[in-house]
Amino acid sequence: MTTQPTLPKAGHAHGAPGEPGSGLQAGLKNRHLSMIAIGGVIGAGLFVGSSSGIATAGPGILLSYALVGTLVVLVMRMLGEMSAANPTSGSFSAHADRALGRWAGFSIGWLYWFFWVVVLAVEATAGASILEGWIPAVPQWGWALIVMVVLTATNLVSVGSYGEFEFWFAGIKVVAIGAFIVVGGLAVFGVLPGVDSEQAGLGNLTGHGGFLPNGPGAILTGVLLVVFSFMGSEIATLAAGESEDPQRAVTKSTNSIIWRIGVFYLGSIFVVVTLLPWDSKAIAEQGSYVAALDSLGIAHAGQIMNFIVLTSVLSCLNSGLYTASRMAFSLGRRGDAPKVFAKTTSRGVPLAAIVASVVFGFVAVFFNYKFPDSVFLFLVNSSGAVALFVWLVICFSQLRMRKIIQAESPEKLVVKMWLYPYLTWATAALIVFVLGYMLTDTEHDGRETVLLSLLVAAVVLVIAVVKERIRGGRPAGVKALD
C-alpha cells in the first residue's frame, strides 16, 4: 500500500522551506483534531431538522437516530481502518481510487466536492437570515457575502487558522448541547425546580399514542429525515492528514464516534421528547430545542438557540470550505482535477482549490436568491443523496483494502472493522435498503432526491470512464497519490 509521507510542521513544507507548491503542512494540533472530530457530528441540521422527525415518528424518532447512528459508527470504523493505515487529505476518495479503480476515486471525490459547495450556499443563507434578524440594516445577501468572505479569508491564512476557528465554533456547540442535556435531564427527573411536572417526564415516551404513535413504518421515514444531519463525521479523517500524528488522530476519532453520537444525538433528542409531548404544538411552531428551552422557563430561549444555530452554521461553513478544498487538492494531486488545485502557498494552503470551491459557493448563493425554486432546488436535491453514496463506496473500498493492507503492511491495521467481512456487507445492504426506501417516499421528496442524485452521479461516472479511456488507464505500478 502507498504510504503517506509524514507532513512537516507548519512552516516546513516538502522541499525547500517555504517553497510555494510544496505541499500541505501539519498545522493542526491535537486539540484542533479532537474538537473537529466532536463538532463534525453536530451539524445545524440537528437543531433545526429534528422537529419534522419528531412529528413523523413521535418518540420512536429515537430509534431512527439510533439506526442511523449505528450505520455511521460502522462506516466510520471502516474509514478509520483505511485512514489509520494511510492518512491522506483525499480520505475515502483516495482509498476508493486504490481499491476500486481510478473511476471510483474520481467520481466519489467530485460528488463529495459538489455536495459541500452546495452546503456552503445553504448554510450561508441560513446564517444570513439569522444575522439579518439581529441587524436588519444589512440585507440578507450582504450578510451571506460577509460570512463567506470572512471564512474564506480564514481558510486562506493557514490550516492552523481553520483549526483555531473550528475549535471555538465546535466548542460552543459542545458546551451548549452538553448544558442542554444536563439541565433538561434534571428537569425530566424532577430535580430542577420551576418545571411543570405534569408536562415533563418519562411518561411522554408512551403517554400520547404510544412510543410509535404513527406505526413502526414511521421509524424508516424518520431515518430519511435525519440521515443527512450526520454528514460531516468523516471530516476528521481528511483533517488528520494535516496533523502532527495522523495515525493517532484517526484512531482516536474513530474510537470515540460511538459516545459522540450517543451523547449528542440520542441524549439531546431523548431530553426533547421527555420534556414535551411529541405532538406539542410548540415543537412544530418553535422548533424542538427552542420549545424544550421554553418549557424550562429559560428567558430568550429563541435568541439563545439562534446564537447556537448560527455558531453551528459558521462551523459547517468553515469545515465545508476546508473539506471541499482538500478534496479538490487531492483530486489535483491524482490528476483528476486541474493541476493548479494541487499547488500550495508557502503556508501550505491550496489557494486555487479554496478559491474554486468558494466561487462555486458564491454562484450557488446567487442561485438561491435569484432562482430558489428551480436552479437552486435542483442543486440541493441532486446533492442530497451523496452522503449515502459516499458511505456505500467506503464499504466496498474497505472490503478490498483490508486484503491489500494485510498483504502489504499488516502492521498498519491498528484499527480493524468488526466482524469483517460480514458486518461490512450488512452495512452496505442497509445503505442500499435506505436508498431503495427513499424511492418510495414522495411526501418528503425522497424519490426526487435519489433520482436527481443518481443522475448527477451517472454524469460524473461517465466523465470518469471516458477520461480514463482517453488516457489509457493508469500505467502499471503507479499508485494513488495523497
Side-chain angles (χ1 to χ4, degrees):
M1 171 168 191
T2 349
T3 57
Q4 170 73 6
T6 303
L7 288 168
K9 295 183 179 182
H12 302 280
H14 298 304
E19 178 187 347
S22 51
L24 300 177
Q25 296 178 354
L28 293 176
K29 301 176 182 178
N30 287 334
R31 64 183 179 88
H32 293 154
L33 262 296
S34 297
M35 201 55 75
I36 289 170
I38 295 173
V41 297
I42 310 174
L46 173 63
F47 299 108
V48 299
S50 54
S51 301
S52 57
I54 292 173
T56 299
I61 194 66
L62 286 167
L63 297 180
S64 301
Y65 274 103
L67 188 60
V68 179
T70 300
L71 188 63
V72 172
V73 167
L74 294 174
V75 170
M76 281 299 296
R77 187 74 184 182
M78 298 176 217
L79 182 56
E81 176 181 296
M82 296 183 289
S83 296
N86 182 28
T88 163
S89 61
S91 189
F92 50 83
S93 173
H95 303 320
D97 188 301
R98 179 80 196 283
L100 305 178
R102 194 153 191 168
W103 62 270
F106 176 97
S107 301
I108 205 64
W110 276 114
L111 283 172
Y112 190 69
W113 179 87
F114 174 58
F115 170 84
W116 278 111
V117 292
V118 172
V119 166
L120 290 180
V122 174
E123 299 295 341
T125 306
S129 65
I130 294 174
L131 289 166
E132 186 192 28
W134 292 343
I135 308 177
V138 179
Q140 191 175 115
W141 66 265
W143 279 120
L145 182 65
I146 291 170
V147 165
M148 291 276 277
V149 168
V150 169
L151 291 179
T152 300
T154 300
N155 275 265
L156 286 174
V157 173
S158 69
V159 68
S161 63
Y162 154 72
E164 199 63 32
F165 265 70
E166 190 57 22
F167 176 81
W168 292 106
F169 285 153
I172 292 172
K173 288 191 295 185
V174 170
V175 170
I177 203 165
F180 174 81
I181 292 172
V182 171
V183 173
L186 292 174
V188 168
F189 291 102
V191 181
L192 193 69
V195 176
D196 184 356
S197 59
E198 293 183 2
Q199 188 177 41
L202 297 178
N204 284 326
L205 293 175
T206 56
H208 298 265
F211 186 69
L212 296 171
N214 297 324
I219 298 173
L220 290 176
T221 306
V223 165
L224 305 186
L225 296 174
V226 306
V227 66
F228 303 110
S229 66
F230 282 82
M231 193 65 168
S233 53
E234 72 291 332
I235 292 176
T237 64
L238 280 91
E242 292 177 79
S243 66
E244 295 176 359
D245 190 350
Q247 189 178 77
R248 178 178 177 273
V250 169
T251 303
K252 187 176 180 181
S253 65
T254 301
N255 291 336
S256 64
I257 187 73
I258 297 176
W259 73 260
R260 285 186 274 136
I261 288 176
V263 171
F264 297 120
Y265 276 86
L266 292 177
S268 63
I269 295 298
F270 173 82
V271 167
V272 170
V273 295
T274 50
L275 278 177
L276 291 167
W278 70 272
D279 53 356
S280 169
K281 290 183 179 180
I283 292 180
E285 294 172 357
Q286 300 175 291
S288 52
Y289 287 83
V290 173
L293 288 175
D294 263 343
S295 74
L296 297 176
I298 295 177
H300 309 294
Q303 291 304 321
I304 292 173
M305 189 51 60
N306 272 341
F307 173 73
I308 296 170
V309 170
L310 178 62
T311 302
S312 296
V313 163
L314 295 176
S315 170
C316 191
L317 266 171
N318 194 37
S319 289
L321 182 54
Y322 170 83
T323 304
S325 65
R326 270 29 177 207
M327 186 57 73
F329 169 83
S330 178
L331 288 166
R333 282 284 298 272
R334 288 179 271 143
D336 290 332
K339 290 183 179 179
V340 68
F341 284 5
K343 293 184 177 180
T344 57
T345 66
S346 59
R347 291 177 174 267
V349 174
L351 176 64
I354 291 176
V355 171
S357 300
V358 82
V359 164
F360 193 96
F362 277 128
V363 171
V365 169
F366 169 77
F367 285 145
N368 193 8
Y369 288 112
K370 193 71 175 175
F371 311 106
D373 299 322
S374 54
V375 180
F376 188 72
L377 186 62
F378 170 80
L379 290 176
V380 172
N381 285 337
S382 62
S383 64
V386 167
L388 292 169
F389 295 166
V390 167
W391 295 347
L392 196 58
V393 166
I394 289 173
C395 291
F396 291 126
S397 298
Q398 189 266 338
L399 285 168
R400 179 75 195 283
M401 283 301 294
R402 167 66 76 89
K403 296 176 182 178
I404 295 175
I405 298 171
Q406 285 179 325
E408 297 182 1
S409 309
E411 72 280 359
K412 292 184 178 180
L413 278 173
V414 293
V415 176
K416 289 186 178 181
M417 175 59 182
W418 307 295
L419 298 176
Y420 168 86
Y422 309 108
L423 204 48
T424 301
W425 280 111
T427 305
L430 181 57
I431 295 171
V432 171
F433 174 77
V434 171
L435 284 168
Y437 189 77
M438 286 181 71
L439 289 172
T440 69
D441 174 44
T442 55
E443 183 180 353
H444 304 99
D445 297 327
R447 175 183 294 177
E448 185 177 7
T449 297
V450 172
L451 292 178
L452 288 177
S453 296
L454 284 172
L455 174 63
V456 172
V459 171
V460 174
L461 186 59
V462 168
I463 294 173
V465 172
V466 171
K467 191 172 187 293
E468 190 167 357
R469 286 188 176 181
I470 288 176
R471 65 182 164 196
R474 179 181 295 142
V478 178
K479 298 180 180 179
L481 290 174
D482 200 21

